[in-house]
Amino acid sequence: MKQFWSPSSINKNKAMVEKLQNHGIVTSDEVAKAMEAVDRGVFVPDRSSAYIDCPMSIGYNVTISAPHMHAMCLQLLEKHLKPGMRVLDVGSGTGYLTACFAVMVGSEGRAIGVEHIPELVASSVKNIEASAASPLLKEGSLAVHVGDGRQGWAEFAPYDAIHVGAAAPEIPEALIDQLKPGGRLVIPVGNIFQDLQVVDKNSDGSVSIKNETSVRYVPLTSREAQLRGD
């Protein structure tokens, strides 16, 4: 598993972001500011390990991705996370990336998390309440819902940016439908072998797809299959 720094070398959120910048993963000021504002330690079960560059189990056969993967996805979506834009986070887990998205699009935008494990939704709301994104949650520009993320969240579509935090065997049609022309979807696709795919929707409604990198995510599946560990 790729790891960009050793556990002993880092223990603070700002230092984590600086490491990501030093390794060329975080390249924009906007992404750096969002990741510095949203303390990853609030969103993981074991704060002492929060800033280590590896995924962590969060229960329910789900993991929170490594910091470098979160940073990569924020960078890939950065131009679609400007103030006032709309973003959907499918498989929002502990709420970390949803909070980062919300900070980037601001109070004039909208950030929606969708997670099919109700207990994770409840705990993610508490995490967000303890984070820099708390005011956005209170005013309603940030929300997390219980639902099947494969169906997106039609209420606030179309979205400028959609992020999926679990691997789909193929790109769900509902997510492409809910993507705004000019918008971007970042999603891991595959079963055993997975690629992080970047899907850009053109002005005529057609899509362009490119593979960014090989990845390993938990499957995007039903709540029942998730809990069974299928």
Side-chain angles (χ1 to χ4, degrees):
M1 182 179 294
K2 189 179 287 185
Q3 188 172 328
F4 283 90
W5 61 87
S6 65
S8 60
S9 67
I10 186 163
N11 59 13
K12 293 183 179 176
N13 195 67
K14 186 173 174 59
M16 179 190 79
V17 179
E18 289 171 352
K19 288 283 188 184
L20 291 164
Q21 290 175 302
N22 292 341
H23 287 285
I25 301 162
V26 170
T27 56
S28 82
D29 289 343
E30 289 79 8
V31 170
K33 286 175 188 171
M35 292 188 76
E36 285 179 5
V38 180
D39 183 358
R40 192 171 188 267
V42 174
F43 292 86
V44 298
D46 178 7
R47 189 171 186 131
S48 67
S49 303
Y51 313 109
I52 297 172
D53 193 36
C54 62
M56 295 173 65
S57 172
I58 57 173
Y60 310 98
N61 295 308
V62 181
T63 59
I64 180 172
S65 293
H68 78 269
M69 282 306 308
H70 282 152
M72 182 183 295
C73 291
L74 285 164
Q75 280 294 154
L76 288 169
L77 290 168
E78 181 224 347
K79 290 182 172 58
H80 307 271
L81 296 169
K82 302 295 185 189
M85 291 186 170
R86 294 186 176 197
V87 53
L88 175 66
D89 187 19
V90 172
S92 48
T94 69
Y96 172 72
L97 210 52
T98 322
C100 291
F101 291 148
V103 166
M104 290 182 74
V105 301
S107 58
E108 300 301 311
R110 191 171 291 275
I112 301 295
V114 179
E115 169 60 56
H116 59 194
I117 307 293
E119 294 86 351
L120 281 177
V121 172
S123 62
S124 71
V125 169
K126 290 179 181 174
N127 295 341
I128 292 167
E129 287 173 343
S131 80
S134 180
L136 301 168
L137 185 71
K138 287 186 175 70
E139 68 187 29
S141 59
L142 164 58
V144 185
H145 300 282
V146 178
D148 185 342
R150 296 171 296 182
Q151 302 304 315
W153 196 260
E155 182 181 0
F156 298 110
Y159 297 95
D160 299 278
I162 300 177
H163 167 264
V164 182
E170 56 191 27
I171 301 170
E173 199 64 41
L175 299 184
I176 293 174
D177 292 343
Q178 291 175 28
L179 193 62
K180 185 182 290 186
R184 172 171 281 190
L185 161 66
V186 172
I187 178 172
V189 178
N191 293 307
I192 297 170
F193 300 102
Q194 303 166 4
D195 290 304
L196 189 67
Q197 295 194 344
V198 177
V199 182
D200 290 310
K201 195 171 203 179
N202 304 311
S203 56
D204 63 0
S206 64
V207 295
S208 305
I209 302 173
K210 69 171 184 176
N211 291 344
E212 185 66 26
T213 187
S214 296
V215 291
R216 187 67 192 268
Y217 279 74
V218 298
L220 182 69
T221 184
S222 68
R223 179 170 180 260
E224 294 74 22
Q226 186 80 57
L227 292 173
R228 288 195 307 266
D230 292 0

